[in-house]
Amino acid sequence: MNQITRRRLITGGVAATAGVAGLAAAARIAGRYGLVPPDCKGIYGPGETLTYAAQRVLTAHSLAREFPRSMISKTPFMNETAPKSDEFKRLEAGDFKEWRLAIDGMVARPGVYSISELKSLPMRSQITEVVCEEGWSYIAEWIGTPLSDVLQAVGVLPQARYVAYFAIEKDWWDSIDMADAWHPQTVLSWGMNDGDLPVGFGGPLRLRVPRQLGYKSMKYLTRLTVTDSMKKFGKGLGSASPEGGYAWYAGI
Ligand SMILES: Nc1nc2c(c(=O)[nH]1)N[C@H]1C(S)=C(S)[C@@H](COP(=O)(O)O)O[C@H]1N2
Ligand SMILES: [Mo]
């Protein structure tokens, strides 16, 4: 079956069922195609599943909007100041030369990368918007190493379904599916607006996921884990967000 026909069938099936028999039945169809997000249970579960399934089938390869340089925000809003831990202060005092990104899990060659090692890999620059669920946004240029280049380097195993990621603040962790992980605009960002990424905006390293809301773009990134299931992390909902009432999948 070719791609378009298959897409029409799945979305047609999922959407028609949603209309006739309700969200729960539509979610069951989505399940048959493996299009189920980690937070698929509970009262919002069928809605989350329908959103995720429809987005993935229709827009798996679509690009987040990129803006002209003239639209870069003059006073971008930073949500948080730097992490307060002594460990972070020590790393900052050393100009982040000792900052490391660990990559493990379902990969052939687990590894540890410094910022300068990441900078030696292929680079991408893009001008995209950070959109917070609280209603504000800003546009900035993000410079970094596409996550796909790092995934290529470590050799992702075929069973991989998610990339989980962790910040230096232990309560910040999240995950994306492989469609977003391999997506060309998903970038390990170490630069912003022609300079190093400032600490307030997540420096020295942030994962920019511009197809989703700001909370998926984790600042102060220290670890990536490639996995076939999010069940073993936290409460098994894919990230800390659903534990607090926010969706795991936050496509925009
Ligand atoms: N490590 C970490 N990452 C984070 C956050 C945070 O508090 N800690 N806040 C998130 C939220 S809710 C948003 S909207 C964006 C805000 O990005 P900004 O600080 O560049 O405005 O960062 C996200 N990434
Ligand atoms: Mo946010």
Side-chain angles (χ1 to χ4, degrees):
M1 204 185 314
N2 75 33
Q3 191 65 22
I4 295 297
T5 332
R6 184 171 172 273
R7 277 186 193 191
R8 262 201 214 124
L9 265 179
I10 305 174
T11 29
V14 171
T17 318
V20 174
L23 282 175
R28 276 198 292 279
I29 296 205
R32 264 189 237 154
Y33 292 93
L35 295 169
V36 172
D39 57 345
C40 62
K41 300 279 189 305
I43 48 170
Y44 299 114
E48 290 302 330
T49 301
L50 189 61
T51 305
Y52 176 68
Q55 286 266 340
R56 272 295 163 268
V57 170
L58 293 171
T59 65
H61 304 287
S62 68
L63 293 175
R65 185 166 170 201
E66 295 194 21
F67 297 85
R69 193 158 287 278
S70 61
M71 284 184 72
I72 290 176
S73 305
K74 302 284 177 291
T75 49
F77 184 85
M78 57 177 94
N79 197 20
E80 280 283 325
T81 47
K84 292 175 183 56
S85 65
D86 290 342
E87 191 194 358
F88 187 85
K89 286 183 194 138
R90 181 181 63 78
L91 290 162
E92 186 179 15
D95 288 332
F96 298 119
K97 286 197 178 64
E98 284 177 45
W99 190 276
R100 294 292 180 272
L101 174 70
I103 307 173
D104 53 36
M106 294 185 146
V107 297
R109 295 170 292 279
V112 173
Y113 292 75
S114 66
I115 302 296
S116 59
E117 283 166 331
L118 289 174
K119 286 182 177 172
S120 71
L121 292 171
M123 184 186 106
R124 181 180 174 116
S125 144
Q126 62 203 19
I127 300 171
T128 56
E129 191 171 26
V130 171
V131 182
C132 175
E133 77 294 348
E134 289 173 4
W136 49 268
S137 67
Y138 68 87
I139 293 168
E141 179 190 23
W142 301 92
I143 306 148
T145 310
L147 178 58
S148 61
D149 285 292
V150 174
L151 294 177
Q152 198 90 50
V154 296
V156 171
L157 303 183
Q159 310 92 289
R161 290 196 58 199
Y162 304 98
V163 175
Y165 45 103
F166 303 84
I168 197 166
E169 313 121 290
K170 298 294 174 231
D171 49 342
W172 271 92
W173 62 279
D174 212 312
S175 66
I176 48 178
D177 66 6
M178 297 315 289
D180 262 329
W182 288 112
H183 190 273
Q185 290 173 314
T186 301
V187 166
L188 292 162
S189 188
W190 36 256
M192 182 186 183
N193 296 341
D194 293 326
D196 283 341
L197 180 59
V199 164
F201 292 101
L205 191 66
R206 172 178 203 167
L207 186 67
R208 270 293 284 143
V209 186
R211 300 200 305 170
Q212 297 202 43
L213 285 174
Y215 62 79
K216 301 294 281 192
S217 286
M218 186 165 297
K219 311 199 273 187
Y220 321 115
L221 189 72
T222 56
R223 183 178 159 222
L224 300 172
T225 302
V226 179
T227 178
D228 60 348
S229 165
M230 288 309 297
K231 293 225 164 67
K232 46 201 161 188
F233 300 91
K235 293 188 180 163
L237 301 173
S239 63
S241 313
E243 295 171 17
Y246 293 99
W248 169 78
Y249 178 72
I252 44 179

PDB file of all heavy atoms in Angstrom, residues 85-117:
ATOM      1  N   SER A  85      22.219  24.818  42.050  1.00  0.00           N
ATOM      2  CA  SER A  85      23.098  23.843  42.715  1.00  0.00           C
ATOM      3  C   SER A  85      24.567  24.255  42.650  1.00  0.00           C
ATOM      4  O   SER A  85      25.000  24.952  41.734  1.00  0.00           O
ATOM      5  CB  SER A  85      22.926  22.463  42.057  1.00  0.00           C
ATOM      6  OG  SER A  85      23.368  22.505  40.722  1.00  0.00           O
ATOM      7  N   ASP A  86      25.340  23.785  43.662  1.00  0.00           N
ATOM      8  CA  ASP A  86      26.785  24.044  43.683  1.00  0.00           C
ATOM      9  C   ASP A  86      27.448  23.425  42.463  1.00  0.00           C
ATOM     10  O   ASP A  86      28.387  23.981  41.913  1.00  0.00           O
ATOM     11  CB  ASP A  86      27.420  23.449  44.956  1.00  0.00           C
ATOM     12  CG  ASP A  86      26.987  24.230  46.190  1.00  0.00           C
ATOM     13  OD1 ASP A  86      26.504  25.375  46.021  1.00  0.00           O
ATOM     14  OD2 ASP A  86      27.116  23.690  47.306  1.00  0.00           O
ATOM     15  N   GLU A  87      26.947  22.262  42.054  1.00  0.00           N
ATOM     16  CA  GLU A  87      27.529  21.579  40.895  1.00  0.00           C
ATOM     17  C   GLU A  87      27.434  22.477  39.655  1.00  0.00           C
ATOM     18  O   GLU A  87      28.396  22.634  38.906  1.00  0.00           O
ATOM     19  CB  GLU A  87      26.792  20.258  40.663  1.00  0.00           C
ATOM     20  CG  GLU A  87      27.483  19.366  39.656  1.00  0.00           C
ATOM     21  CD  GLU A  87      26.599  18.213  39.175  1.00  0.00           C
ATOM     22  OE1 GLU A  87      25.453  18.083  39.662  1.00  0.00           O
ATOM     23  OE2 GLU A  87      27.067  17.467  38.296  1.00  0.00           O
ATOM     24  N   PHE A  88      26.250  23.088  39.454  1.00  0.00           N
ATOM     25  CA  PHE A  88      26.099  23.957  38.286  1.00  0.00           C
ATOM     26  C   PHE A  88      27.034  25.159  38.389  1.00  0.00           C
ATOM     27  O   PHE A  88      27.695  25.533  37.410  1.00  0.00           O
ATOM     28  CB  PHE A  88      24.643  24.422  38.128  1.00  0.00           C
ATOM     29  CG  PHE A  88      24.422  25.186  36.854  1.00  0.00           C
ATOM     30  CD1 PHE A  88      24.158  24.521  35.660  1.00  0.00           C
ATOM     31  CD2 PHE A  88      24.514  26.579  36.820  1.00  0.00           C
ATOM     32  CE1 PHE A  88      23.992  25.216  34.468  1.00  0.00           C
ATOM     33  CE2 PHE A  88      24.340  27.287  35.626  1.00  0.00           C
ATOM     34  CZ  PHE A  88      24.071  26.593  34.460  1.00  0.00           C
ATOM     35  N   LYS A  89      27.114  25.754  39.593  1.00  0.00           N
ATOM     36  CA  LYS A  89      27.976  26.942  39.776  1.00  0.00           C
ATOM     37  C   LYS A  89      29.439  26.600  39.483  1.00  0.00           C
ATOM     38  O   LYS A  89      30.165  27.387  38.883  1.00  0.00           O
ATOM     39  CB  LYS A  89      27.832  27.478  41.196  1.00  0.00           C
ATOM     40  CG  LYS A  89      26.497  28.193  41.399  1.00  0.00           C
ATOM     41  CD  LYS A  89      26.406  28.789  42.796  1.00  0.00           C
ATOM     42  CE  LYS A  89      24.972  29.197  43.110  1.00  0.00           C
ATOM     43  NZ  LYS A  89      24.568  28.844  44.478  1.00  0.00           N
ATOM     44  N   ARG A  90      29.841  25.401  39.906  1.00  0.00           N
ATOM     45  CA  ARG A  90      31.236  24.972  39.672  1.00  0.00           C
ATOM     46  C   ARG A  90      31.496  24.826  38.169  1.00  0.00           C
ATOM     47  O   ARG A  90      32.495  25.307  37.646  1.00  0.00           O
ATOM     48  CB  ARG A  90      31.477  23.633  40.384  1.00  0.00           C
ATOM     49  CG  ARG A  90      32.890  23.090  40.255  1.00  0.00           C
ATOM     50  CD  ARG A  90      33.047  21.739  40.973  1.00  0.00           C
ATOM     51  NE  ARG A  90      32.205  20.676  40.411  1.00  0.00           N
ATOM     52  CZ  ARG A  90      32.487  19.998  39.281  1.00  0.00           C
ATOM     53  NH1 ARG A  90      33.571  20.268  38.606  1.00  0.00           N
ATOM     54  NH2 ARG A  90      31.670  19.057  38.863  1.00  0.00           N
ATOM     55  N   LEU A  91      30.562  24.209  37.471  1.00  0.00           N
ATOM     56  CA  LEU A  91      30.730  24.016  36.025  1.00  0.00           C
ATOM     57  C   LEU A  91      30.744  25.360  35.299  1.00  0.00           C
ATOM     58  O   LEU A  91      31.529  25.576  34.382  1.00  0.00           O
ATOM     59  CB  LEU A  91      29.607  23.124  35.491  1.00  0.00           C
ATOM     60  CG  LEU A  91      29.693  21.655  35.941  1.00  0.00           C
ATOM     61  CD1 LEU A  91      28.363  20.940  35.751  1.00  0.00           C
ATOM     62  CD2 LEU A  91      30.801  20.924  35.176  1.00  0.00           C
ATOM     63  N   GLU A  92      29.881  26.280  35.756  1.00  0.00           N
ATOM     64  CA  GLU A  92      29.828  27.595  35.125  1.00  0.00           C
ATOM     65  C   GLU A  92      31.139  28.354  35.356  1.00  0.00           C
ATOM     66  O   GLU A  92      31.673  28.978  34.431  1.00  0.00           O
ATOM     67  CB  GLU A  92      28.647  28.400  35.697  1.00  0.00           C
ATOM     68  CG  GLU A  92      28.438  29.719  34.972  1.00  0.00           C
ATOM     69  CD  GLU A  92      27.259  30.528  35.511  1.00  0.00           C
ATOM     70  OE1 GLU A  92      26.771  30.222  36.627  1.00  0.00           O
ATOM     71  OE2 GLU A  92      26.838  31.459  34.806  1.00  0.00           O
ATOM     72  N   ALA A  93      31.679  28.250  36.576  1.00  0.00           N
ATOM     73  CA  ALA A  93      32.943  28.928  36.891  1.00  0.00           C
ATOM     74  C   ALA A  93      34.060  28.409  35.983  1.00  0.00           C
ATOM     75  O   ALA A  93      34.996  29.152  35.666  1.00  0.00           O
ATOM     76  CB  ALA A  93      33.291  28.715  38.362  1.00  0.00           C
ATOM     77  N   GLY A  94      33.977  27.180  35.552  1.00  0.00           N
ATOM     78  CA  GLY A  94      34.975  26.613  34.637  1.00  0.00           C
ATOM     79  C   GLY A  94      34.590  26.773  33.175  1.00  0.00           C
ATOM     80  O   GLY A  94      35.048  25.993  32.326  1.00  0.00           O
ATOM     81  N   ASP A  95      33.753  27.768  32.871  1.00  0.00           N
ATOM     82  CA  ASP A  95      33.297  28.024  31.487  1.00  0.00           C
ATOM     83  C   ASP A  95      32.704  26.788  30.817  1.00  0.00           C
ATOM     84  O   ASP A  95      32.790  26.640  29.593  1.00  0.00           O
ATOM     85  CB  ASP A  95      34.450  28.556  30.620  1.00  0.00           C
ATOM     86  CG  ASP A  95      34.793  29.981  30.989  1.00  0.00           C
ATOM     87  OD1 ASP A  95      33.885  30.701  31.471  1.00  0.00           O
ATOM     88  OD2 ASP A  95      35.968  30.372  30.814  1.00  0.00           O
ATOM     89  N   PHE A  96      32.150  25.910  31.606  1.00  0.00           N
ATOM     90  CA  PHE A  96      31.465  24.702  31.119  1.00  0.00           C
ATOM     91  C   PHE A  96      32.382  23.761  30.328  1.00  0.00           C
ATOM     92  O   PHE A  96      31.913  22.909  29.590  1.00  0.00           O
ATOM     93  CB  PHE A  96      30.232  25.066  30.286  1.00  0.00           C
ATOM     94  CG  PHE A  96      29.194  25.811  31.073  1.00  0.00           C
ATOM     95  CD1 PHE A  96      28.805  27.094  30.704  1.00  0.00           C
ATOM     96  CD2 PHE A  96      28.613  25.236  32.199  1.00  0.00           C
ATOM     97  CE1 PHE A  96      27.842  27.792  31.448  1.00  0.00           C
ATOM     98  CE2 PHE A  96      27.658  25.927  32.947  1.00  0.00           C
ATOM     99  CZ  PHE A  96      27.272  27.211  32.563  1.00  0.00           C
ATOM    100  N   LYS A  97      33.705  23.923  30.512  1.00  0.00           N
ATOM    101  CA  LYS A  97      34.627  22.994  29.825  1.00  0.00           C
ATOM    102  C   LYS A  97      34.423  21.565  30.314  1.00  0.00           C
ATOM    103  O   LYS A  97      34.693  20.610  29.610  1.00  0.00           O
ATOM    104  CB  LYS A  97      36.083  23.429  30.072  1.00  0.00           C
ATOM    105  CG  LYS A  97      36.464  24.673  29.281  1.00  0.00           C
ATOM    106  CD  LYS A  97      37.974  24.849  29.213  1.00  0.00           C
ATOM    107  CE  LYS A  97      38.356  26.057  28.385  1.00  0.00           C
ATOM    108  NZ  LYS A  97      37.868  27.337  28.984  1.00  0.00           N
ATOM    109  N   GLU A  98      33.943  21.442  31.557  1.00  0.00           N
ATOM    110  CA  GLU A  98      33.735  20.090  32.104  1.00  0.00           C
ATOM    111  C   GLU A  98      32.295  19.617  31.966  1.00  0.00           C
ATOM    112  O   GLU A  98      31.929  18.568  32.511  1.00  0.00           O
ATOM    113  CB  GLU A  98      34.161  20.052  33.570  1.00  0.00           C
ATOM    114  CG  GLU A  98      35.669  20.031  33.731  1.00  0.00           C
ATOM    115  CD  GLU A  98      36.070  20.064  35.196  1.00  0.00           C
ATOM    116  OE1 GLU A  98      35.466  19.328  35.992  1.00  0.00           O
ATOM    117  OE2 GLU A  98      36.974  20.842  35.516  1.00  0.00           O
ATOM    118  N   TRP A  99      31.467  20.399  31.286  1.00  0.00           N
ATOM    119  CA  TRP A  99      30.077  19.951  31.061  1.00  0.00           C
ATOM    120  C   TRP A  99      30.095  18.736  30.134  1.00  0.00           C
ATOM    121  O   TRP A  99      30.818  18.727  29.137  1.00  0.00           O
ATOM    122  CB  TRP A  99      29.265  21.071  30.425  1.00  0.00           C
ATOM    123  CG  TRP A  99      27.783  20.776  30.383  1.00  0.00           C
ATOM    124  CD1 TRP A  99      27.123  20.057  29.433  1.00  0.00           C
ATOM    125  CD2 TRP A  99      26.810  21.193  31.333  1.00  0.00           C
ATOM    126  NE1 TRP A  99      25.774  20.001  29.747  1.00  0.00           N
ATOM    127  CE2 TRP A  99      25.555  20.693  30.907  1.00  0.00           C
ATOM    128  CE3 TRP A  99      26.865  21.942  32.527  1.00  0.00           C
ATOM    129  CZ2 TRP A  99      24.375  20.922  31.615  1.00  0.00           C
ATOM    130  CZ3 TRP A  99      25.691  22.175  33.220  1.00  0.00           C
ATOM    131  CH2 TRP A  99      24.459  21.664  32.763  1.00  0.00           C
ATOM    132  N   ARG A 100      29.320  17.730  30.481  1.00  0.00           N
ATOM    133  CA  ARG A 100      29.271  16.538  29.634  1.00  0.00           C
ATOM    134  C   ARG A 100      27.830  16.157  29.334  1.00  0.00           C
ATOM    135  O   ARG A 100      26.959  16.282  30.193  1.00  0.00           O
ATOM    136  CB  ARG A 100      29.943  15.344  30.335  1.00  0.00           C
ATOM    137  CG  ARG A 100      31.444  15.507  30.560  1.00  0.00           C
ATOM    138  CD  ARG A 100      32.235  15.499  29.260  1.00  0.00           C
ATOM    139  NE  ARG A 100      33.663  15.652  29.484  1.00  0.00           N
ATOM    140  CZ  ARG A 100      34.305  16.824  29.564  1.00  0.00           C
ATOM    141  NH1 ARG A 100      33.628  17.957  29.443  1.00  0.00           N
ATOM    142  NH2 ARG A 100      35.606  16.861  29.761  1.00  0.00           N
ATOM    143  N   LEU A 101      27.635  15.676  28.115  1.00  0.00           N
ATOM    144  CA  LEU A 101      26.357  15.081  27.739  1.00  0.00           C
ATOM    145  C   LEU A 101      26.585  13.587  27.597  1.00  0.00           C
ATOM    146  O   LEU A 101      27.377  13.152  26.752  1.00  0.00           O
ATOM    147  CB  LEU A 101      25.861  15.661  26.405  1.00  0.00           C
ATOM    148  CG  LEU A 101      24.595  14.977  25.862  1.00  0.00           C
ATOM    149  CD1 LEU A 101      23.381  15.320  26.725  1.00  0.00           C
ATOM    150  CD2 LEU A 101      24.343  15.374  24.411  1.00  0.00           C
ATOM    151  N   ALA A 102      25.914  12.791  28.424  1.00  0.00           N
ATOM    152  CA  ALA A 102      26.035  11.335  28.345  1.00  0.00           C
ATOM    153  C   ALA A 102      24.934  10.791  27.452  1.00  0.00           C
ATOM    154  O   ALA A 102      23.798  11.268  27.498  1.00  0.00           O
ATOM    155  CB  ALA A 102      25.932  10.741  29.744  1.00  0.00           C
ATOM    156  N   ILE A 103      25.271   9.828  26.613  1.00  0.00           N
ATOM    157  CA  ILE A 103      24.272   9.187  25.755  1.00  0.00           C
ATOM    158  C   ILE A 103      24.369   7.682  25.946  1.00  0.00           C
ATOM    159  O   ILE A 103      25.428   7.086  25.745  1.00  0.00           O
ATOM    160  CB  ILE A 103      24.489   9.558  24.284  1.00  0.00           C
ATOM    161  CG1 ILE A 103      24.536  11.079  24.165  1.00  0.00           C
ATOM    162  CG2 ILE A 103      23.374   8.987  23.407  1.00  0.00           C
ATOM    163  CD1 ILE A 103      24.911  11.565  22.817  1.00  0.00           C
ATOM    164  N   ASP A 104      23.245   7.091  26.386  1.00  0.00           N
ATOM    165  CA  ASP A 104      23.275   5.660  26.674  1.00  0.00           C
ATOM    166  C   ASP A 104      21.945   5.020  26.285  1.00  0.00           C
ATOM    167  O   ASP A 104      21.145   5.616  25.578  1.00  0.00           O
ATOM    168  CB  ASP A 104      23.605   5.440  28.170  1.00  0.00           C
ATOM    169  CG  ASP A 104      22.685   6.230  29.093  1.00  0.00           C
ATOM    170  OD1 ASP A 104      21.480   6.382  28.781  1.00  0.00           O
ATOM    171  OD2 ASP A 104      23.157   6.718  30.136  1.00  0.00           O
ATOM    172  N   GLY A 105      21.724   3.807  26.752  1.00  0.00           N
ATOM    173  CA  GLY A 105      20.493   3.094  26.407  1.00  0.00           C
ATOM    174  C   GLY A 105      20.696   2.245  25.163  1.00  0.00           C
ATOM    175  O   GLY A 105      21.762   1.652  24.974  1.00  0.00           O
ATOM    176  N   MET A 106      19.660   2.209  24.308  1.00  0.00           N
ATOM    177  CA  MET A 106      19.672   1.325  23.146  1.00  0.00           C
ATOM    178  C   MET A 106      20.501   1.894  21.992  1.00  0.00           C
ATOM    179  O   MET A 106      19.966   2.272  20.943  1.00  0.00           O
ATOM    180  CB  MET A 106      18.246   1.065  22.693  1.00  0.00           C
ATOM    181  CG  MET A 106      17.486   0.269  23.737  1.00  0.00           C
ATOM    182  SD  MET A 106      15.877  -0.154  23.152  1.00  0.00           S
ATOM    183  CE  MET A 106      15.689  -1.736  23.937  1.00  0.00           C
ATOM    184  N   VAL A 107      21.798   1.983  22.245  1.00  0.00           N
ATOM    185  CA  VAL A 107      22.718   2.480  21.223  1.00  0.00           C
ATOM    186  C   VAL A 107      23.923   1.548  21.154  1.00  0.00           C
ATOM    187  O   VAL A 107      24.271   0.913  22.150  1.00  0.00           O
ATOM    188  CB  VAL A 107      23.189   3.931  21.532  1.00  0.00           C
ATOM    189  CG1 VAL A 107      22.010   4.889  21.511  1.00  0.00           C
ATOM    190  CG2 VAL A 107      23.912   4.020  22.866  1.00  0.00           C
ATOM    191  N   ALA A 108      24.529   1.481  19.994  1.00  0.00           N
ATOM    192  CA  ALA A 108      25.665   0.576  19.817  1.00  0.00           C
ATOM    193  C   ALA A 108      26.920   1.112  20.498  1.00  0.00           C
ATOM    194  O   ALA A 108      27.747   0.347  20.992  1.00  0.00           O
ATOM    195  CB  ALA A 108      25.927   0.360  18.324  1.00  0.00           C
ATOM    196  N   ARG A 109      27.059   2.450  20.536  1.00  0.00           N
ATOM    197  CA  ARG A 109      28.275   3.049  21.066  1.00  0.00           C
ATOM    198  C   ARG A 109      27.941   4.155  22.056  1.00  0.00           C
ATOM    199  O   ARG A 109      28.009   5.337  21.724  1.00  0.00           O
ATOM    200  CB  ARG A 109      29.108   3.649  19.916  1.00  0.00           C
ATOM    201  CG  ARG A 109      29.642   2.616  18.927  1.00  0.00           C
ATOM    202  CD  ARG A 109      30.251   3.248  17.688  1.00  0.00           C
ATOM    203  NE  ARG A 109      29.257   3.908  16.840  1.00  0.00           N
ATOM    204  CZ  ARG A 109      28.465   3.251  15.964  1.00  0.00           C
ATOM    205  NH1 ARG A 109      28.565   1.960  15.808  1.00  0.00           N
ATOM    206  NH2 ARG A 109      27.570   3.927  15.242  1.00  0.00           N
ATOM    207  N   PRO A 110      27.567   3.788  23.302  1.00  0.00           N
ATOM    208  CA  PRO A 110      27.263   4.829  24.288  1.00  0.00           C
ATOM    209  C   PRO A 110      28.476   5.742  24.445  1.00  0.00           C
ATOM    210  O   PRO A 110      29.617   5.290  24.238  1.00  0.00           O
ATOM    211  CB  PRO A 110      26.999   4.046  25.582  1.00  0.00           C
ATOM    212  CG  PRO A 110      27.168   2.613  25.287  1.00  0.00           C
ATOM    213  CD  PRO A 110      27.497   2.429  23.855  1.00  0.00           C
ATOM    214  N   GLY A 111      28.220   6.992  24.777  1.00  0.00           N
ATOM    215  CA  GLY A 111      29.358   7.904  24.846  1.00  0.00           C
ATOM    216  C   GLY A 111      29.081   9.115  25.702  1.00  0.00           C
ATOM    217  O   GLY A 111      27.968   9.319  26.196  1.00  0.00           O
ATOM    218  N   VAL A 112      30.133   9.900  25.876  1.00  0.00           N
ATOM    219  CA  VAL A 112      30.061  11.120  26.664  1.00  0.00           C
ATOM    220  C   VAL A 112      30.690  12.225  25.823  1.00  0.00           C
ATOM    221  O   VAL A 112      31.786  12.047  25.303  1.00  0.00           O
ATOM    222  CB  VAL A 112      30.831  10.929  28.000  1.00  0.00           C
ATOM    223  CG1 VAL A 112      30.904  12.245  28.757  1.00  0.00           C
ATOM    224  CG2 VAL A 112      30.164   9.860  28.849  1.00  0.00           C
ATOM    225  N   TYR A 113      29.968  13.327  25.644  1.00  0.00           N
ATOM    226  CA  TYR A 113      30.435  14.387  24.759  1.00  0.00           C
ATOM    227  C   TYR A 113      30.604  15.696  25.528  1.00  0.00           C
ATOM    228  O   TYR A 113      29.722  16.088  26.299  1.00  0.00           O
ATOM    229  CB  TYR A 113      29.415  14.628  23.633  1.00  0.00           C
ATOM    230  CG  TYR A 113      29.305  13.482  22.656  1.00  0.00           C
ATOM    231  CD1 TYR A 113      28.649  12.306  22.991  1.00  0.00           C
ATOM    232  CD2 TYR A 113      29.879  13.587  21.385  1.00  0.00           C
ATOM    233  CE1 TYR A 113      28.553  11.247  22.094  1.00  0.00           C
ATOM    234  CE2 TYR A 113      29.788  12.538  20.470  1.00  0.00           C
ATOM    235  CZ  TYR A 113      29.128  11.369  20.838  1.00  0.00           C
ATOM    236  OH  TYR A 113      29.034  10.325  19.945  1.00  0.00           O
ATOM    237  N   SER A 114      31.713  16.389  25.289  1.00  0.00           N
ATOM    238  CA  SER A 114      31.870  17.743  25.814  1.00  0.00           C
ATOM    239  C   SER A 114      31.211  18.708  24.827  1.00  0.00           C
ATOM    240  O   SER A 114      30.881  18.326  23.696  1.00  0.00           O
ATOM    241  CB  SER A 114      33.358  18.073  25.964  1.00  0.00           C
ATOM    242  OG  SER A 114      33.943  18.111  24.671  1.00  0.00           O
ATOM    243  N   ILE A 115      31.055  19.959  25.237  1.00  0.00           N
ATOM    244  CA  ILE A 115      30.462  20.951  24.329  1.00  0.00           C
ATOM    245  C   ILE A 115      31.353  21.121  23.091  1.00  0.00           C
ATOM    246  O   ILE A 115      30.850  21.193  21.967  1.00  0.00           O
ATOM    247  CB  ILE A 115      30.267  22.313  25.049  1.00  0.00           C
ATOM    248  CG1 ILE A 115      29.373  22.153  26.290  1.00  0.00           C
ATOM    249  CG2 ILE A 115      29.699  23.354  24.090  1.00  0.00           C
ATOM    250  CD1 ILE A 115      27.954  21.717  26.030  1.00  0.00           C
ATOM    251  N   SER A 116      32.680  21.128  23.283  1.00  0.00           N
ATOM    252  CA  SER A 116      33.523  21.323  22.098  1.00  0.00           C
ATOM    253  C   SER A 116      33.469  20.108  21.168  1.00  0.00           C
ATOM    254  O   SER A 116      33.556  20.267  19.946  1.00  0.00           O
ATOM    255  CB  SER A 116      34.957  21.702  22.471  1.00  0.00           C
ATOM    256  OG  SER A 116      35.520  20.700  23.252  1.00  0.00           O
ATOM    257  N   GLU A 117      33.288  18.919  21.720  1.00  0.00           N
ATOM    258  CA  GLU A 117      33.103  17.754  20.833  1.00  0.00           C
ATOM    259  C   GLU A 117      31.802  17.871  20.042  1.00  0.00           C
ATOM    260  O   GLU A 117      31.760  17.548  18.858  1.00  0.00           O
ATOM    261  CB  GLU A 117      33.126  16.454  21.650  1.00  0.00           C
ATOM    262  CG  GLU A 117      34.535  16.056  22.045  1.00  0.00           C
ATOM    263  CD  GLU A 117      34.575  14.968  23.129  1.00  0.00           C
ATOM    264  OE1 GLU A 117      33.642  14.892  23.960  1.00  0.00           O
ATOM    265  OE2 GLU A 117      35.547  14.216  23.136  1.00  0.00           O
TER     266      GLU A 117
END
